[in-house]
Amino acid sequence: MPITSSSQSFTSFANGWLIRHRHFVEQLTYASSFDETNQITLQDQQFLVTQFLSHCLQYYQEKSSAISVAGDNVFTFFSPPWFTSYAKLILWVGDFKPSLVFKLTDSSVDDLTRHQKDRILSLRSETRRKERDVMRDFALVQQSVADPPVMVAARRVGARGMVDGEESDLEEAMEVLKNGMAAAMSNADELRCSTVGKVVEILTTSQAVKVLRTIGELHLRLRELVASE
């Protein structure tokens, strides 16, 4: 699918965002190091955590705005050109799966208290339930387009033509699909952002820096600079 005006504009934004993102990851890496020369204070770490979360939220806000005007080309955002080939193989509703954050947390910090572990376990269960809700709604949208009358009309496109009413039925079905996919993407992105935010609330500042560094590195592996022309 060719890059469209909305995705083209977002690609341009994403390229600039990715450059800033690399800088944030470098800062998080430094802030989480235990080098004797590291003079970063707790206040510095707290400020960095806040800034990085705002930076990530900006990405999804811009993406939401682009999807809202994407029209027929909302599908581009489910296999985005600003993602690496590897990333496209593991996408969940157009981006990383929210519950992946828990694996990244487990691999980043080894000093969680029992209370923190219990809270994260509860949040993990809640997130997985919400993931199932997103996928259920997404499946219902896809199923609605696969209804027999719609499929019959679709098969007639380019063949012997559609009879009266079938063209409007097909257009209506495609509109339902586009709106449903946009809604699924919005719900998935909201869950991604809220999951990261809730995990950070459970962690100490130094733990949050480590986890966000790992999440930031994941974003770098998933995304790449692409031409926006």
Side-chain angles (χ1 to χ4, degrees), residues 2-50:
I3 298 178
T4 62
S5 57
S6 60
S7 61
Q8 187 177 55
S9 176
F10 184 75
T11 296
S12 178
F13 160 79
N15 283 342
W17 181 90
L18 189 60
I19 292 172
R20 296 189 296 276
H21 188 80
R22 287 198 180 102
H23 180 60
F24 269 115
V25 172
E26 291 173 358
Q27 289 182 299
L28 288 165
T29 300
Y30 174 74
S32 62
S33 69
F34 296 98
D35 192 288
E36 293 179 354
T37 63
N38 189 338
Q39 300 297 316
I40 192 167
T41 66
L42 178 61
Q43 185 177 11
D44 292 332
Q45 288 184 323
Q46 291 172 336
F47 180 73
L48 180 56
V49 167
T50 300

mmCIF file of all heavy atoms in Angstrom, residues 2-50:
data_model
loop_
_atom_site.group_PDB
_atom_site.id
_atom_site.type_symbol
_atom_site.label_atom_id
_atom_site.label_comp_id
_atom_site.label_asym_id
_atom_site.label_seq_id
_atom_site.Cartn_x
_atom_site.Cartn_y
_atom_site.Cartn_z
ATOM 1 N N PRO A 2 0.653 2.169 -0.889
ATOM 2 C CA PRO A 2 1.498 3.359 -0.956
ATOM 3 C C PRO A 2 1.344 4.239 0.275
ATOM 4 O O PRO A 2 0.329 4.224 0.957
ATOM 5 C CB PRO A 2 0.976 4.075 -2.209
ATOM 6 C CG PRO A 2 -0.434 3.634 -2.331
ATOM 7 C CD PRO A 2 -0.446 2.209 -1.889
ATOM 8 N N ILE A 3 2.396 5.008 0.579
ATOM 9 C CA ILE A 3 2.333 5.952 1.689
ATOM 10 C C ILE A 3 1.396 7.087 1.309
ATOM 11 O O ILE A 3 1.524 7.683 0.252
ATOM 12 C CB ILE A 3 3.727 6.495 2.016
ATOM 13 C CG1 ILE A 3 4.651 5.350 2.449
ATOM 14 C CG2 ILE A 3 3.666 7.543 3.098
ATOM 15 C CD1 ILE A 3 6.062 5.775 2.752
ATOM 16 N N THR A 4 0.431 7.382 2.169
ATOM 17 C CA THR A 4 -0.579 8.394 1.879
ATOM 18 C C THR A 4 -0.244 9.680 2.611
ATOM 19 O O THR A 4 0.690 9.748 3.384
ATOM 20 C CB THR A 4 -1.951 7.881 2.314
ATOM 21 O OG1 THR A 4 -1.900 7.672 3.726
ATOM 22 C CG2 THR A 4 -2.294 6.568 1.628
ATOM 23 N N SER A 5 -1.072 10.717 2.358
ATOM 24 C CA SER A 5 -0.774 12.019 2.941
ATOM 25 C C SER A 5 -0.707 11.969 4.463
ATOM 26 O O SER A 5 0.195 12.548 5.067
ATOM 27 C CB SER A 5 -1.824 13.037 2.494
ATOM 28 O OG SER A 5 -3.129 12.600 2.853
ATOM 29 N N SER A 6 -1.670 11.300 5.123
ATOM 30 C CA SER A 6 -1.663 11.247 6.586
ATOM 31 C C SER A 6 -0.493 10.437 7.103
ATOM 32 O O SER A 6 0.193 10.840 8.047
ATOM 33 C CB SER A 6 -2.982 10.674 7.109
ATOM 34 O OG SER A 6 -3.190 9.363 6.619
ATOM 35 N N SER A 7 -0.240 9.263 6.503
ATOM 36 C CA SER A 7 0.879 8.442 6.951
ATOM 37 C C SER A 7 2.204 9.070 6.544
ATOM 38 O O SER A 7 3.213 8.918 7.241
ATOM 39 C CB SER A 7 0.773 7.023 6.391
ATOM 40 O OG SER A 7 0.811 7.026 4.977
ATOM 41 N N GLN A 8 2.200 9.793 5.433
ATOM 42 C CA GLN A 8 3.408 10.485 4.997
ATOM 43 C C GLN A 8 3.778 11.569 5.993
ATOM 44 O O GLN A 8 4.950 11.717 6.379
ATOM 45 C CB GLN A 8 3.193 11.089 3.606
ATOM 46 C CG GLN A 8 4.437 11.687 2.979
ATOM 47 C CD GLN A 8 4.147 12.199 1.581
ATOM 48 O OE1 GLN A 8 3.243 13.012 1.388
ATOM 49 N NE2 GLN A 8 4.892 11.712 0.621
ATOM 50 N N SER A 9 2.798 12.329 6.440
ATOM 51 C CA SER A 9 3.028 13.363 7.437
ATOM 52 C C SER A 9 3.499 12.754 8.744
ATOM 53 O O SER A 9 4.414 13.276 9.396
ATOM 54 C CB SER A 9 1.737 14.162 7.667
ATOM 55 O OG SER A 9 1.902 15.106 8.696
ATOM 56 N N PHE A 10 2.880 11.633 9.131
ATOM 57 C CA PHE A 10 3.286 10.985 10.373
ATOM 58 C C PHE A 10 4.684 10.392 10.248
ATOM 59 O O PHE A 10 5.448 10.387 11.217
ATOM 60 C CB PHE A 10 2.293 9.894 10.769
ATOM 61 C CG PHE A 10 2.617 9.269 12.094
ATOM 62 C CD1 PHE A 10 2.353 9.944 13.276
ATOM 63 C CD2 PHE A 10 3.223 8.022 12.160
ATOM 64 C CE1 PHE A 10 2.678 9.387 14.505
ATOM 65 C CE2 PHE A 10 3.545 7.459 13.384
ATOM 66 C CZ PHE A 10 3.271 8.136 14.558
ATOM 67 N N THR A 11 5.028 9.884 9.069
ATOM 68 C CA THR A 11 6.372 9.352 8.852
ATOM 69 C C THR A 11 7.410 10.432 9.085
ATOM 70 O O THR A 11 8.459 10.203 9.704
ATOM 71 C CB THR A 11 6.513 8.794 7.422
ATOM 72 O OG1 THR A 11 5.622 7.693 7.254
ATOM 73 C CG2 THR A 11 7.940 8.318 7.157
ATOM 74 N N SER A 12 7.132 11.634 8.592
ATOM 75 C CA SER A 12 8.040 12.761 8.801
ATOM 76 C C SER A 12 8.184 13.061 10.288
ATOM 77 O O SER A 12 9.299 13.273 10.790
ATOM 78 C CB SER A 12 7.518 13.989 8.058
ATOM 79 O OG SER A 12 8.359 15.097 8.273
ATOM 80 N N PHE A 13 7.051 13.064 11.002
ATOM 81 C CA PHE A 13 7.100 13.277 12.450
ATOM 82 C C PHE A 13 7.879 12.162 13.134
ATOM 83 O O PHE A 13 8.720 12.415 14.009
ATOM 84 C CB PHE A 13 5.680 13.329 13.033
ATOM 85 C CG PHE A 13 5.630 13.064 14.518
ATOM 86 C CD1 PHE A 13 5.962 14.068 15.419
ATOM 87 C CD2 PHE A 13 5.291 11.809 14.996
ATOM 88 C CE1 PHE A 13 5.951 13.824 16.781
ATOM 89 C CE2 PHE A 13 5.280 11.548 16.363
ATOM 90 C CZ PHE A 13 5.607 12.564 17.257
ATOM 91 N N ALA A 14 7.603 10.910 12.736
ATOM 92 C CA ALA A 14 8.233 9.755 13.376
ATOM 93 C C ALA A 14 9.746 9.768 13.202
ATOM 94 O O ALA A 14 10.484 9.349 14.101
ATOM 95 C CB ALA A 14 7.648 8.456 12.818
ATOM 96 N N ASN A 15 10.222 10.240 12.058
ATOM 97 C CA ASN A 15 11.669 10.321 11.840
ATOM 98 C C ASN A 15 12.313 11.279 12.851
ATOM 99 O O ASN A 15 13.347 10.969 13.446
ATOM 100 C CB ASN A 15 11.960 10.786 10.413
ATOM 101 C CG ASN A 15 11.782 9.684 9.388
ATOM 102 O OD1 ASN A 15 11.772 8.510 9.724
ATOM 103 N ND2 ASN A 15 11.623 10.067 8.132
ATOM 104 N N GLY A 16 11.704 12.445 13.035
ATOM 105 C CA GLY A 16 12.225 13.400 14.006
ATOM 106 C C GLY A 16 12.089 12.882 15.429
ATOM 107 O O GLY A 16 12.985 13.064 16.263
ATOM 108 N N TRP A 17 10.981 12.219 15.688
ATOM 109 C CA TRP A 17 10.738 11.638 17.011
ATOM 110 C C TRP A 17 11.790 10.592 17.332
ATOM 111 O O TRP A 17 12.293 10.517 18.470
ATOM 112 C CB TRP A 17 9.345 11.025 17.047
ATOM 113 C CG TRP A 17 8.952 10.413 18.359
ATOM 114 C CD1 TRP A 17 8.320 11.034 19.403
ATOM 115 C CD2 TRP A 17 9.159 9.061 18.773
ATOM 116 N NE1 TRP A 17 8.120 10.151 20.435
ATOM 117 C CE2 TRP A 17 8.625 8.930 20.079
ATOM 118 C CE3 TRP A 17 9.733 7.946 18.159
ATOM 119 C CZ2 TRP A 17 8.658 7.729 20.779
ATOM 120 C CZ3 TRP A 17 9.778 6.752 18.862
ATOM 121 C CH2 TRP A 17 9.235 6.650 20.164
ATOM 122 N N LEU A 18 12.150 9.779 16.333
ATOM 123 C CA LEU A 18 13.116 8.711 16.551
ATOM 124 C C LEU A 18 14.503 9.271 16.875
ATOM 125 O O LEU A 18 15.232 8.707 17.698
ATOM 126 C CB LEU A 18 13.187 7.815 15.316
ATOM 127 C CG LEU A 18 13.989 6.517 15.455
ATOM 128 C CD1 LEU A 18 13.384 5.641 16.550
ATOM 129 C CD2 LEU A 18 14.022 5.764 14.128
ATOM 130 N N ILE A 19 14.857 10.379 16.256
ATOM 131 C CA ILE A 19 16.142 11.019 16.553
ATOM 132 C C ILE A 19 16.163 11.485 18.012
ATOM 133 O O ILE A 19 17.139 11.271 18.742
ATOM 134 C CB ILE A 19 16.385 12.202 15.597
ATOM 135 C CG1 ILE A 19 16.595 11.680 14.163
ATOM 136 C CG2 ILE A 19 17.596 13.016 16.051
ATOM 137 C CD1 ILE A 19 16.647 12.777 13.122
ATOM 138 N N ARG A 20 15.058 12.116 18.445
ATOM 139 C CA ARG A 20 14.965 12.545 19.839
ATOM 140 C C ARG A 20 14.947 11.344 20.779
ATOM 141 O O ARG A 20 15.494 11.389 21.892
ATOM 142 C CB ARG A 20 13.709 13.400 20.055
ATOM 143 C CG ARG A 20 13.706 14.711 19.278
ATOM 144 C CD ARG A 20 12.556 15.604 19.688
ATOM 145 N NE ARG A 20 11.254 15.033 19.384
ATOM 146 C CZ ARG A 20 10.648 15.115 18.203
ATOM 147 N NH1 ARG A 20 11.247 15.735 17.186
ATOM 148 N NH2 ARG A 20 9.448 14.581 18.021
ATOM 149 N N HIS A 21 14.328 10.281 20.311
ATOM 150 C CA HIS A 21 14.216 9.068 21.125
ATOM 151 C C HIS A 21 15.590 8.471 21.412
ATOM 152 O O HIS A 21 15.855 8.017 22.535
ATOM 153 C CB HIS A 21 13.334 8.050 20.395
ATOM 154 C CG HIS A 21 13.003 6.851 21.212
ATOM 155 N ND1 HIS A 21 12.012 6.854 22.172
ATOM 156 C CD2 HIS A 21 13.549 5.603 21.244
ATOM 157 C CE1 HIS A 21 11.942 5.670 22.743
ATOM 158 N NE2 HIS A 21 12.871 4.894 22.207
ATOM 159 N N ARG A 22 16.447 8.449 20.405
ATOM 160 C CA ARG A 22 17.804 7.930 20.611
ATOM 161 C C ARG A 22 18.523 8.716 21.702
ATOM 162 O O ARG A 22 19.251 8.140 22.520
ATOM 163 C CB ARG A 22 18.600 7.982 19.296
ATOM 164 C CG ARG A 22 18.186 6.956 18.276
ATOM 165 C CD ARG A 22 19.271 6.769 17.221
ATOM 166 N NE ARG A 22 18.876 5.791 16.232
ATOM 167 C CZ ARG A 22 18.431 6.084 15.019
ATOM 168 N NH1 ARG A 22 18.337 7.358 14.653
ATOM 169 N NH2 ARG A 22 18.090 5.139 14.169
ATOM 170 N N HIS A 23 18.322 10.024 21.699
ATOM 171 C CA HIS A 23 18.952 10.870 22.704
ATOM 172 C C HIS A 23 18.420 10.525 24.095
ATOM 173 O O HIS A 23 19.191 10.458 25.073
ATOM 174 C CB HIS A 23 18.696 12.341 22.386
ATOM 175 C CG HIS A 23 19.298 13.297 23.368
ATOM 176 N ND1 HIS A 23 20.659 13.362 23.615
ATOM 177 C CD2 HIS A 23 18.721 14.216 24.197
ATOM 178 C CE1 HIS A 23 20.901 14.277 24.536
ATOM 179 N NE2 HIS A 23 19.748 14.804 24.911
ATOM 180 N N PHE A 24 17.113 10.291 24.201
ATOM 181 C CA PHE A 24 16.530 9.910 25.480
ATOM 182 C C PHE A 24 17.103 8.579 25.973
ATOM 183 O O PHE A 24 17.391 8.414 27.168
ATOM 184 C CB PHE A 24 15.007 9.802 25.367
ATOM 185 C CG PHE A 24 14.283 11.081 25.679
ATOM 186 C CD1 PHE A 24 13.552 11.734 24.695
ATOM 187 C CD2 PHE A 24 14.310 11.622 26.951
ATOM 188 C CE1 PHE A 24 12.873 12.915 24.979
ATOM 189 C CE2 PHE A 24 13.628 12.799 27.249
ATOM 190 C CZ PHE A 24 12.915 13.448 26.261
ATOM 191 N N VAL A 25 17.241 7.623 25.070
ATOM 192 C CA VAL A 25 17.778 6.312 25.459
ATOM 193 C C VAL A 25 19.209 6.456 25.968
ATOM 194 O O VAL A 25 19.609 5.807 26.946
ATOM 195 C CB VAL A 25 17.712 5.323 24.276
ATOM 196 C CG1 VAL A 25 18.453 4.019 24.611
ATOM 197 C CG2 VAL A 25 16.253 5.011 23.926
ATOM 198 N N GLU A 26 19.978 7.309 25.328
ATOM 199 C CA GLU A 26 21.340 7.567 25.798
ATOM 200 C C GLU A 26 21.318 8.152 27.213
ATOM 201 O O GLU A 26 22.124 7.772 28.072
ATOM 202 C CB GLU A 26 22.050 8.529 24.849
ATOM 203 C CG GLU A 26 22.363 7.927 23.481
ATOM 204 C CD GLU A 26 22.910 8.968 22.512
ATOM 205 O OE1 GLU A 26 23.013 10.152 22.904
ATOM 206 O OE2 GLU A 26 23.220 8.593 21.356
ATOM 207 N N GLN A 27 20.401 9.088 27.461
ATOM 208 C CA GLN A 27 20.285 9.687 28.792
ATOM 209 C C GLN A 27 19.852 8.655 29.834
ATOM 210 O O GLN A 27 20.367 8.637 30.964
ATOM 211 C CB GLN A 27 19.279 10.834 28.756
ATOM 212 C CG GLN A 27 19.745 12.068 28.011
ATOM 213 C CD GLN A 27 18.699 13.175 28.063
ATOM 214 O OE1 GLN A 27 17.578 13.014 27.582
ATOM 215 N NE2 GLN A 27 19.055 14.300 28.661
ATOM 216 N N LEU A 28 18.903 7.795 29.463
ATOM 217 C CA LEU A 28 18.432 6.762 30.382
ATOM 218 C C LEU A 28 19.537 5.754 30.680
ATOM 219 O O LEU A 28 19.663 5.268 31.812
ATOM 220 C CB LEU A 28 17.208 6.051 29.786
ATOM 221 C CG LEU A 28 15.916 6.862 29.753
ATOM 222 C CD1 LEU A 28 14.893 6.217 28.832
ATOM 223 C CD2 LEU A 28 15.330 7.019 31.159
ATOM 224 N N THR A 29 20.326 5.436 29.660
ATOM 225 C CA THR A 29 21.445 4.509 29.854
ATOM 226 C C THR A 29 22.454 5.090 30.835
ATOM 227 O O THR A 29 22.939 4.402 31.740
ATOM 228 C CB THR A 29 22.130 4.209 28.505
ATOM 229 O OG1 THR A 29 21.177 3.616 27.616
ATOM 230 C CG2 THR A 29 23.297 3.254 28.691
ATOM 231 N N TYR A 30 22.760 6.369 30.665
ATOM 232 C CA TYR A 30 23.690 7.028 31.570
ATOM 233 C C TYR A 30 23.114 7.101 32.982
ATOM 234 O O TYR A 30 23.804 6.832 33.977
ATOM 235 C CB TYR A 30 24.006 8.446 31.069
ATOM 236 C CG TYR A 30 24.861 9.251 32.021
ATOM 237 C CD1 TYR A 30 26.214 8.978 32.166
ATOM 238 C CD2 TYR A 30 24.288 10.280 32.779
ATOM 239 C CE1 TYR A 30 26.993 9.706 33.067
ATOM 240 C CE2 TYR A 30 25.056 11.017 33.666
ATOM 241 C CZ TYR A 30 26.411 10.733 33.806
ATOM 242 O OH TYR A 30 27.178 11.447 34.695
ATOM 243 N N ALA A 31 21.832 7.440 33.083
ATOM 244 C CA ALA A 31 21.193 7.595 34.392
ATOM 245 C C ALA A 31 21.103 6.279 35.147
ATOM 246 O O ALA A 31 21.026 6.274 36.386
ATOM 247 C CB ALA A 31 19.800 8.186 34.224
ATOM 248 N N SER A 32 21.105 5.165 34.425
ATOM 249 C CA SER A 32 20.984 3.858 35.076
ATOM 250 C C SER A 32 22.332 3.192 35.322
ATOM 251 O O SER A 32 22.397 2.086 35.853
ATOM 252 C CB SER A 32 20.105 2.929 34.227
ATOM 253 O OG SER A 32 20.687 2.708 32.950
ATOM 254 N N SER A 33 23.409 3.843 34.918
ATOM 255 C CA SER A 33 24.745 3.278 35.092
ATOM 256 C C SER A 33 25.230 3.489 36.514
ATOM 257 O O SER A 33 24.753 4.367 37.238
ATOM 258 C CB SER A 33 25.724 3.908 34.099
ATOM 259 O OG SER A 33 25.961 5.255 34.434
ATOM 260 N N PHE A 34 26.211 2.670 36.904
ATOM 261 C CA PHE A 34 26.754 2.758 38.253
ATOM 262 C C PHE A 34 28.208 3.225 38.236
ATOM 263 O O PHE A 34 28.972 2.948 39.142
ATOM 264 C CB PHE A 34 26.656 1.397 38.951
ATOM 265 C CG PHE A 34 25.243 0.939 39.153
ATOM 266 C CD1 PHE A 34 24.663 0.047 38.262
ATOM 267 C CD2 PHE A 34 24.482 1.412 40.204
ATOM 268 C CE1 PHE A 34 23.352 -0.372 38.445
ATOM 269 C CE2 PHE A 34 23.169 0.994 40.392
ATOM 270 C CZ PHE A 34 22.601 0.104 39.503
ATOM 271 N N ASP A 35 28.550 3.937 37.184
ATOM 272 C CA ASP A 35 29.909 4.459 37.059
ATOM 273 C C ASP A 35 30.182 5.489 38.156
ATOM 274 O O ASP A 35 29.301 6.268 38.538
ATOM 275 C CB ASP A 35 30.075 5.105 35.674
ATOM 276 C CG ASP A 35 31.521 5.412 35.369
ATOM 277 O OD1 ASP A 35 32.051 6.339 35.983
ATOM 278 O OD2 ASP A 35 32.098 4.711 34.506
ATOM 279 N N GLU A 36 31.419 5.504 38.652
ATOM 280 C CA GLU A 36 31.774 6.441 39.721
ATOM 281 C C GLU A 36 31.641 7.896 39.281
ATOM 282 O O GLU A 36 31.458 8.792 40.107
ATOM 283 C CB GLU A 36 33.222 6.175 40.190
ATOM 284 C CG GLU A 36 33.400 4.825 40.879
ATOM 285 C CD GLU A 36 34.847 4.609 41.305
ATOM 286 O OE1 GLU A 36 35.689 5.467 40.948
ATOM 287 O OE2 GLU A 36 35.127 3.607 41.975
ATOM 288 N N THR A 37 31.739 8.124 37.988
ATOM 289 C CA THR A 37 31.662 9.499 37.479
ATOM 290 C C THR A 37 30.226 9.971 37.295
ATOM 291 O O THR A 37 29.988 11.121 36.957
ATOM 292 C CB THR A 37 32.394 9.605 36.130
ATOM 293 O OG1 THR A 37 31.738 8.759 35.166
ATOM 294 C CG2 THR A 37 33.852 9.175 36.261
ATOM 295 N N ASN A 38 29.278 9.070 37.495
ATOM 296 C CA ASN A 38 27.868 9.411 37.321
ATOM 297 C C ASN A 38 27.402 10.308 38.471
ATOM 298 O O ASN A 38 27.291 9.862 39.614
ATOM 299 C CB ASN A 38 27.025 8.131 37.265
ATOM 300 C CG ASN A 38 25.583 8.407 36.859
ATOM 301 O OD1 ASN A 38 25.092 9.517 36.999
ATOM 302 N ND2 ASN A 38 24.913 7.385 36.356
ATOM 303 N N GLN A 39 27.136 11.554 38.162
ATOM 304 C CA GLN A 39 26.743 12.520 39.187
ATOM 305 C C GLN A 39 25.250 12.842 39.142
ATOM 306 O O GLN A 39 24.809 13.820 39.739
ATOM 307 C CB GLN A 39 27.548 13.822 38.994
ATOM 308 C CG GLN A 39 29.051 13.645 39.101
ATOM 309 C CD GLN A 39 29.465 13.179 40.490
ATOM 310 O OE1 GLN A 39 28.966 13.689 41.484
ATOM 311 N NE2 GLN A 39 30.373 12.211 40.551
ATOM 312 N N ILE A 40 24.475 12.026 38.447
ATOM 313 C CA ILE A 40 23.055 12.312 38.304
ATOM 314 C C ILE A 40 22.350 12.146 39.647
ATOM 315 O O ILE A 40 22.618 11.219 40.415
ATOM 316 C CB ILE A 40 22.416 11.399 37.235
ATOM 317 C CG1 ILE A 40 21.006 11.902 36.893
ATOM 318 C CG2 ILE A 40 22.378 9.949 37.692
ATOM 319 C CD1 ILE A 40 20.425 11.253 35.646
ATOM 320 N N THR A 41 21.450 13.069 39.957
ATOM 321 C CA THR A 41 20.729 13.051 41.221
ATOM 322 C C THR A 41 19.371 12.384 41.063
ATOM 323 O O THR A 41 18.897 12.134 39.939
ATOM 324 C CB THR A 41 20.511 14.479 41.735
ATOM 325 O OG1 THR A 41 19.631 15.175 40.833
ATOM 326 C CG2 THR A 41 21.838 15.226 41.834
ATOM 327 N N LEU A 42 18.727 12.105 42.178
ATOM 328 C CA LEU A 42 17.382 11.524 42.150
ATOM 329 C C LEU A 42 16.419 12.464 41.450
ATOM 330 O O LEU A 42 15.547 12.026 40.685
ATOM 331 C CB LEU A 42 16.906 11.244 43.576
ATOM 332 C CG LEU A 42 15.489 10.675 43.717
ATOM 333 C CD1 LEU A 42 15.374 9.334 43.007
ATOM 334 C CD2 LEU A 42 15.116 10.536 45.206
ATOM 335 N N GLN A 43 16.576 13.746 41.691
ATOM 336 C CA GLN A 43 15.719 14.737 41.036
ATOM 337 C C GLN A 43 15.926 14.715 39.526
ATOM 338 O O GLN A 43 14.963 14.834 38.760
ATOM 339 C CB GLN A 43 16.025 16.135 41.580
ATOM 340 C CG GLN A 43 15.097 17.217 41.033
ATOM 341 C CD GLN A 43 15.379 18.575 41.647
ATOM 342 O OE1 GLN A 43 16.375 18.771 42.331
ATOM 343 N NE2 GLN A 43 14.485 19.530 41.407
ATOM 344 N N ASP A 44 17.187 14.544 39.097
ATOM 345 C CA ASP A 44 17.482 14.437 37.667
ATOM 346 C C ASP A 44 16.794 13.213 37.072
ATOM 347 O O ASP A 44 16.233 13.271 35.967
ATOM 348 C CB ASP A 44 18.989 14.332 37.430
ATOM 349 C CG ASP A 44 19.731 15.615 37.786
ATOM 350 O OD1 ASP A 44 19.111 16.692 37.708
ATOM 351 O OD2 ASP A 44 20.922 15.518 38.134
ATOM 352 N N GLN A 45 16.843 12.108 37.794
ATOM 353 C CA GLN A 45 16.209 10.867 37.324
ATOM 354 C C GLN A 45 14.698 11.038 37.208
ATOM 355 O O GLN A 45 14.088 10.609 36.231
ATOM 356 C CB GLN A 45 16.533 9.716 38.271
ATOM 357 C CG GLN A 45 17.970 9.218 38.191
ATOM 358 C CD GLN A 45 18.187 8.014 39.098
ATOM 359 O OE1 GLN A 45 17.641 7.933 40.199
ATOM 360 N NE2 GLN A 45 18.980 7.075 38.630
ATOM 361 N N GLN A 46 14.104 11.666 38.214
ATOM 362 C CA GLN A 46 12.653 11.882 38.198
ATOM 363 C C GLN A 46 12.241 12.753 37.017
ATOM 364 O O GLN A 46 11.237 12.483 36.353
ATOM 365 C CB GLN A 46 12.216 12.532 39.520
ATOM 366 C CG GLN A 46 12.341 11.612 40.726
ATOM 367 C CD GLN A 46 12.093 12.329 42.040
ATOM 368 O OE1 GLN A 46 12.262 13.551 42.139
ATOM 369 N NE2 GLN A 46 11.687 11.589 43.066
ATOM 370 N N PHE A 47 13.019 13.775 36.756
ATOM 371 C CA PHE A 47 12.730 14.667 35.633
ATOM 372 C C PHE A 47 12.860 13.916 34.313
ATOM 373 O O PHE A 47 12.031 14.078 33.403
ATOM 374 C CB PHE A 47 13.694 15.860 35.652
ATOM 375 C CG PHE A 47 13.463 16.844 34.528
ATOM 376 C CD1 PHE A 47 12.358 17.694 34.550
ATOM 377 C CD2 PHE A 47 14.346 16.916 33.457
ATOM 378 C CE1 PHE A 47 12.138 18.599 33.516
ATOM 379 C CE2 PHE A 47 14.126 17.814 32.421
ATOM 380 C CZ PHE A 47 13.032 18.659 32.450
ATOM 381 N N LEU A 48 13.878 13.066 34.200
ATOM 382 C CA LEU A 48 14.092 12.290 32.985
ATOM 383 C C LEU A 48 12.941 11.315 32.738
ATOM 384 O O LEU A 48 12.474 11.159 31.602
ATOM 385 C CB LEU A 48 15.415 11.536 33.074
ATOM 386 C CG LEU A 48 15.815 10.668 31.874
ATOM 387 C CD1 LEU A 48 15.857 11.492 30.590
ATOM 388 C CD2 LEU A 48 17.167 10.003 32.133
ATOM 389 N N VAL A 49 12.486 10.670 33.805
ATOM 390 C CA VAL A 49 11.349 9.743 33.686
ATOM 391 C C VAL A 49 10.119 10.474 33.172
ATOM 392 O O VAL A 49 9.433 10.007 32.246
ATOM 393 C CB VAL A 49 11.051 9.075 35.049
ATOM 394 C CG1 VAL A 49 9.688 8.372 35.018
ATOM 395 C CG2 VAL A 49 12.141 8.075 35.403
ATOM 396 N N THR A 50 9.838 11.631 33.742
ATOM 397 C CA THR A 50 8.676 12.427 33.321
ATOM 398 C C THR A 50 8.795 12.860 31.867
ATOM 399 O O THR A 50 7.828 12.761 31.092
ATOM 400 C CB THR A 50 8.527 13.669 34.214
ATOM 401 O OG1 THR A 50 8.341 13.255 35.570
ATOM 402 C CG2 THR A 50 7.328 14.511 33.784
#
